[in-house]
Amino acid sequence: MESESVTTPFGRRPMSLALLLKQRRGEAIAAGTTRNKWKLFRSVCEARAGLGVTDRALTVLDALLSFYPEDELSSEKGLVVFPSNAQLSLRARGMAAATLRRHLAVLVDAGLISRKDSPNGKRYVRRGRAGVIDEAYGFSLAPLLARASEIEAMAAGLAADRQMLRAMKERLTICRRDIAKLIAAAVEEAIPGEWERISSLFHALLERIPKAATPENLRPLLKELEMLRLAIINTLESREKIQNASTNESQFERHIQSSNPESLSESEPGLETAQEARLDDQPRSGLKDDDQGRRGDGGQGLRAVRTDAGRLKSFQLGTVLKACPDIADYGPGGAIGSWRDLMTAAVTVRTMLRVGPPAYEEACAVMGPENAATVMACILQRGGCITSAGGYLRDLTRRAERGEFAPGPMLTALLRAKDPPIAEVS
């Protein structure tokens, strides 16, 4: 502790309870506390906004620290510096005396230094016979050392806030650029959508950007902009999927019809080779009656088989919707009336289940868009049983690529869960 006495101000400066408390708090330094004065001064500079001091006041504090002979501020040594006004003004970059007094008062009010006035108000030191300082009058740096931990924590917090704010501003800039260019691309390519309304919403959000940005007032605005960007990307992505499906529609073989569309094969059929696969519009003269009987549906079952193009045959849309009714909620207008509607709903469900675009595109390439949409409908229906929809879809795609998977058993299981099979009568 620097001193047990109370130092009242010299001259006409009044004493106050706040000044007394600051003095006592400045003297409460734990034994053995030390800090490098220049590192501590840097922390004060970083925490300037929290401490309520100006840059000119920091210039004065820098000058006061230069009068302390050691690099380490220590509670075991005297913490009082006693420069004259002339010397202090020189080290404060030639600051005028009146300005110097004003900023010294700012440092005192901020609780970074305290005055230790002599009986006559002068700053001086009294030394013993051995040259050791017995008593010094001037400015005490004890409050600065006493608050070292507080100042360092404040500086670290403000530095983290500045870094966070910088990162948020970067994200905001990128998000603004993305939205502006995506809207421009959609309008230029005449993609259907409410682009005027989206553009108006975008400009309204930009007008809300505050001039004095802080993490607190920037965070909700950034979240709204990122949600708008995601909505635009989903709209453009859905449009791209629909266009791709429309382009490839002529390449798909027409669906295999079934005289009993509600029944599927009991177990997953082996995927036939291209030479063995038969389309339903080809003559069946090459099959014997007992072969057709073993198929059980005249060769027109709902089993998914490979076409000559190497794709899986798809099922009737009504069968898919009966097995997976939940997918209808995500169709255009909350209903599905065509395969195109189902594929559009599948893209929406893919985004909701966090299935990456590469995984779904690979499934479309391997199984075909209709079967990929069917599988997404099944995954949605069984959502409670599947931990990672993306990983599950990639696994099914790999199995389908090896010829080990067809959507039939998935639909069969879902239909059985709704309508348990009735035992056949021989």
Side-chain angles (χ1 to χ4, degrees), residues 293-366:
R294 282 194 297 270
R295 290 181 183 268
D297 55 4
Q300 300 180 15
L302 292 179
R303 298 181 300 172
V305 298
R306 298 280 184 181
T307 67
D308 291 337
R311 294 184 183 273
L312 289 173
K313 281 282 191 175
S314 55
F315 301 94
Q316 283 189 337
L317 180 62
T319 303
V320 176
L321 295 179
K322 182 176 181 180
C324 310
D326 291 352
I327 192 72
D329 295 335
Y330 300 91
I336 293 178
S338 65
W339 279 102
R340 180 172 298 179
D341 292 346
L342 180 64
M343 287 184 279
T344 302
V347 172
T348 303
V349 170
R350 173 196 67 72
T351 304
M352 183 186 71
L353 297 180
R354 298 184 179 180
V355 176
Y360 187 68
E361 290 170 3
E362 184 181 2
C364 290
V366 173

Side-chain angles (χ1 to χ4, degrees), residues 32 37 130 136 157 177 206 213 253-254 280 289 297 370 401 425:
K37 64 180 181 181
R177 181 185 67 198
L206 293 184
E253 297 293 337
R254 66 188 183 88
D280 57 356
D289 292 340
D297 55 4
E370 293 175 334
E401 195 171 19
V425 180

Side-chain angles (χ1 to χ4, degrees), residues 42-331:
R42 181 172 180 176
S43 296
V44 172
C45 293
E46 291 179 348
R48 185 186 73 179
L51 293 171
V53 293
T54 63
D55 54 347
R56 301 294 299 277
L58 292 178
T59 301
V60 176
L61 180 61
D62 183 19
L64 287 174
L65 288 172
S66 68
F67 285 102
Y68 190 77
E70 305 290 338
D71 284 339
E72 295 285 329
L73 295 175
S74 173
S75 60
E76 306 300 328
K77 300 178 181 179
L79 292 171
V80 176
V81 292
F82 38 88
S84 65
N85 284 339
Q87 291 297 319
L88 186 58
S89 177
L90 287 176
R91 295 199 188 183
R93 316 298 189 267
M95 189 177 293
T99 307
L100 190 65
R101 287 193 296 271
R102 186 168 65 253
H103 291 300
L104 284 169
V106 170
L107 294 173
V108 172
D109 291 340
L112 298 178
I113 63 172
S114 62
R115 298 178 186 269
K116 188 176 180 182
D117 290 342
S118 66
N120 61 1
K122 303 294 184 179
R123 300 176 203 136
Y124 61 86
V125 62
R126 184 185 304 117
R127 300 179 183 273
R129 293 183 178 180
V132 179
I133 296 177
D134 288 338
E135 194 69 54
Y137 297 99
F139 298 102
S140 174
L141 301 175
L144 181 64
L145 183 59
R147 298 181 63 188
S149 298
E150 175 193 348
I151 292 171
E152 290 165 350
M154 187 184 300
L158 291 174
D161 288 344
R162 285 194 295 269
Q163 183 177 1
M164 181 186 301
L165 181 60
R166 188 183 306 113
M168 292 178 71
K169 286 183 176 179
E170 291 174 355
R171 287 169 55 192
L172 182 65
T173 300
I174 294 173
C175 194
R176 289 175 60 181
R177 181 185 67 198
D178 292 347
I179 293 175
K181 293 196 173 184
L182 287 172
I183 292 176
V187 172
E188 182 179 354
E189 298 181 17
I191 296 177
E194 299 178 346
W195 301 116
E196 290 187 5
R197 183 184 65 81
I198 293 175
S199 180
S200 299
L201 176 60
F202 174 51
H203 288 293
L205 290 174
L206 293 184
E207 291 177 356
R208 289 170 47 195
I209 297 178
K211 293 183 179 179
T214 63
E216 288 72 22
N217 61 24
L218 207 58
R219 187 176 291 109
L221 181 61
L222 178 59
K223 184 177 180 181
E224 290 186 52
L225 284 170
E226 288 179 338
M227 290 177 63
L228 179 60
R229 178 178 61 183
L230 180 60
I232 294 173
I233 292 174
N234 288 340
T235 300
L236 297 179
E237 191 177 60
S238 300
R239 182 65 184 176
E240 180 185 1
K241 296 296 183 183
I242 293 174
Q243 289 177 344
N244 291 340
S246 177
T247 302
N248 297 329
E249 187 173 359
S250 60
Q251 302 176 5
F252 299 152
E253 297 293 337
R254 66 188 183 88
H255 309 314
I256 300 177
Q257 301 298 321
S258 172
S259 58
N260 186 11
E262 297 184 1
S263 64
L264 299 175
S265 57
E266 292 295 327
S267 59
E268 180 171 355
L271 298 179
E272 302 178 15
T273 62
Q275 292 77 11
E276 294 172 342
R278 293 182 353 94
L279 300 179
D280 57 356
D281 57 348
Q282 290 180 333
R284 291 190 290 274
S285 58
L287 290 179
K288 296 181 182 179
D289 292 340
D290 55 344
D291 291 335
Q292 296 184 22
R294 282 194 297 270
R295 290 181 183 268
D297 55 4
Q300 300 180 15
L302 292 179
R303 298 181 300 172
V305 298
R306 298 280 184 181
T307 67
D308 291 337
R311 294 184 183 273
L312 289 173
K313 281 282 191 175
S314 55
F315 301 94
Q316 283 189 337
L317 180 62
T319 303
V320 176
L321 295 179
K322 182 176 181 180
C324 310
D326 291 352
I327 192 72
D329 295 335
Y330 300 91

